[in-house]
Amino acid sequence: MKKKYAIIAAICLLSLGLTAQSVITYNGNAPQTGEEYNYAGTNGSFDPSPSGAGQNWDFSGITPMFSQTVISVTPESTPFADVFPEATIAFHALGDNESYNYSQVSTSELRNVGMGFNPGNENGFIIHYTDAVKLMQYPFSFNDSYSDSYFAAYSITEGMETHEWGNITVTADAWGSVSTPANTYDNTLRVKSEYTYIDSVWVSGIFLYANTYTQTHYEWYNATSHTPVMSVNITEDGTTVGYRTEPVTGIEEGLFDVQINVYPNPAADRIYVELPEGSKENTNMYIFSLEGKLVAQLKNTGSDRFSADISTLAPGEYMILIKISATKYTTAKFIKTETYR
């Protein structure tokens, strides 16, 4: 089965002049929870070349055909938390086809431990890498390279299972300036990731067939990006490009007006939010500490009503971010009180 991998990496670009190398470090740019990234992109034919030092790549003429919002969250706040106990961060892709990408970060490396798609939907499924995919190592410099193997077994439909064996080779193959429709980024480091993997299909323990696939990803990072500012993904089916449409967003109030009912407030164990009738479509709600850390997500529990278990949160004041699109959202505050058992 052909898949697209959401490759999430952390880059620190230390520029000491045009002749200096770029370096990936854990302390500089490891992924963090509570950040939001907005992307746009298109499909077509795009040449990611050349490689080497001091390059200038111009993708400013791209006409976007789609957009995507990704929020980095704590794994505990996601619907697949029990499947990925080893994950330290999750990336929630918003939209009609919801997905969660789970990663494990240490001071020496970043690994993808799996993905969950369409929670609560009959078409949903989970990929859990029992041998995780090494996405990045720390430190990592221009011209550095490594290879890693990985494995997963997962079910798509009842009685049918896919076994995936793969290998990834990652190289920091270029640095320079990259232009997108949104911005021009100087001193970027390009990371090339080459995948070769075999999918074998089994039914009730009986082998049916196997196919071999290849994919190549090119991703550009600057000194302040925890995810790529630009990417080119090449598969046998074609090429997809994507770019950041704006910097990391924070919490801002008043971008749309809606009557919000938050109760109880104060609350000790559970918080509820009600919107006007018919407002729940495409609505997502998140709970942040006042320091900006994402601590929970509210789940839809009925007609225009959302709920979250807050019993494990520390007492204090929190912010609810209510989001209906990449540019339309507002906030509300509530107070968490001591929980007594």
Side-chain angles (χ1 to χ4, degrees):
M1 173 174 293
K2 298 184 179 181
K3 301 175 288 297
K4 292 181 180 178
Y5 291 89
I7 304 299
I8 308 296
I11 303 281
C12 176
L13 187 59
L14 304 179
S15 178
L16 302 177
L18 292 179
T19 60
Q21 286 191 346
S22 303
V23 182
I24 299 168
T25 69
Y26 169 79
N27 289 329
N29 285 82
Q32 301 175 17
T33 59
E35 294 182 337
E36 178 180 309
Y37 306 93
N38 296 291
Y39 298 93
T42 189
N43 302 313
S45 178
F46 299 91
D47 183 5
S49 298
S51 60
Q55 302 298 330
N56 288 283
W57 300 278
D58 187 1
F59 297 95
S60 59
I62 293 173
T63 300
M65 297 175 57
F66 61 83
S67 62
Q68 178 70 71
T69 296
V70 177
I71 298 179
S72 54
V73 300
T74 58
E76 295 80 9
S77 67
T78 69
F80 304 107
D82 58 335
V83 180
F84 302 98
E86 73 274 39
T88 58
I89 191 170
F91 299 89
H92 181 193
L94 308 182
D96 294 336
N97 296 311
E98 277 194 294
S99 68
Y100 295 82
N101 186 287
Y102 294 84
S103 293
Q104 185 179 54
V105 186
S106 72
T107 56
S108 61
E109 62 186 16
L110 172 71
R111 288 186 176 270
N112 179 20
V113 297
M115 293 151 272
F117 301 88
N118 296 320
N121 189 299
E122 62 179 6
N123 296 320
F125 65 97
I126 296 170
I127 301 174
H128 190 187
Y129 293 107
T130 51
D131 185 2
V133 186
K134 183 178 178 181
L135 303 180
M136 185 50 61
Q137 68 182 26
Y138 307 115
F140 199 60
S141 303
F142 173 56
N143 280 334
D144 281 354
S145 183
Y146 70 86
S147 295
D148 186 57
S149 59
Y150 59 92
F151 173 75
Y154 53 94
S155 298
I156 301 298
T157 60
E158 187 175 354
M160 181 175 290
E161 186 172 79
T162 295
H163 294 182
E164 179 186 338
W165 292 269
N167 186 81
I168 180 175
T169 298
V170 179
T171 306
D173 75 331
W175 64 269
S177 174
V178 61
S179 296
T180 75
N183 205 347
T184 294
Y185 303 91
D186 296 322
N187 299 318
T188 60
L189 178 67
R190 188 177 78 176
V191 176
K192 179 182 180 182
S193 300
E194 298 174 281
Y195 285 86
T196 301
Y197 61 97
I198 300 173
D199 277 354
S200 60
V201 178
W202 304 71
V203 175
S204 301
I206 300 174
F207 170 76
L208 291 185
Y209 62 88
N211 290 318
T212 300
Y213 305 107
T214 61
Q215 295 186 26
T216 302
H217 302 272
Y218 294 88
E219 299 174 320
W220 286 258
Y221 302 84
N222 72 356
T224 60
S225 65
H226 293 172
T227 62
V229 298
M230 176 72 199
S231 65
V232 177
N233 179 35
I234 303 172
T235 72
E236 290 128 328
D237 292 330
T239 301
T240 301
V241 299
Y243 61 91
R244 289 269 293 276
T245 57
E246 58 188 63
V248 178
T249 61
I251 299 174
E252 301 179 23
E253 294 191 58
L255 296 188
F256 74 93
D257 294 323
V258 64
Q259 291 296 114
I260 303 166
N261 184 20
V262 180
Y263 65 94
N265 191 8
D269 298 304
R270 182 166 289 276
I271 194 79
Y272 297 91
V273 177
E274 287 187 350
L275 301 178
E277 185 177 353
S279 298
K280 71 177 181 180
E281 185 176 2
N282 298 325
T283 299
N284 295 277
M285 296 194 188
Y286 307 90
I287 298 177
F288 288 83
S289 68
L290 294 189
E291 292 76 30
K293 181 179 180 181
L294 183 63
V295 295
Q297 178 177 351
L298 287 96
K299 298 180 180 180
N300 181 253
T301 56
S303 178
D304 304 298
R305 188 173 85 154
F306 294 76
S307 174
D309 182 356
I310 60 170
S311 60
T312 60
L313 298 182
E317 192 172 18
Y318 291 86
M319 186 84 73
I320 301 174
L321 173 65
I322 302 164
K323 181 178 177 65
I324 61 173
S325 74
T327 58
K328 296 182 69 176
Y329 50 94
T330 192
T331 62
K333 291 182 180 180
F334 73 93
I335 297 174
K336 164 67 168 70
T337 60
E338 191 72 48
T339 298
Y340 296 98
R341 300 297 185 192

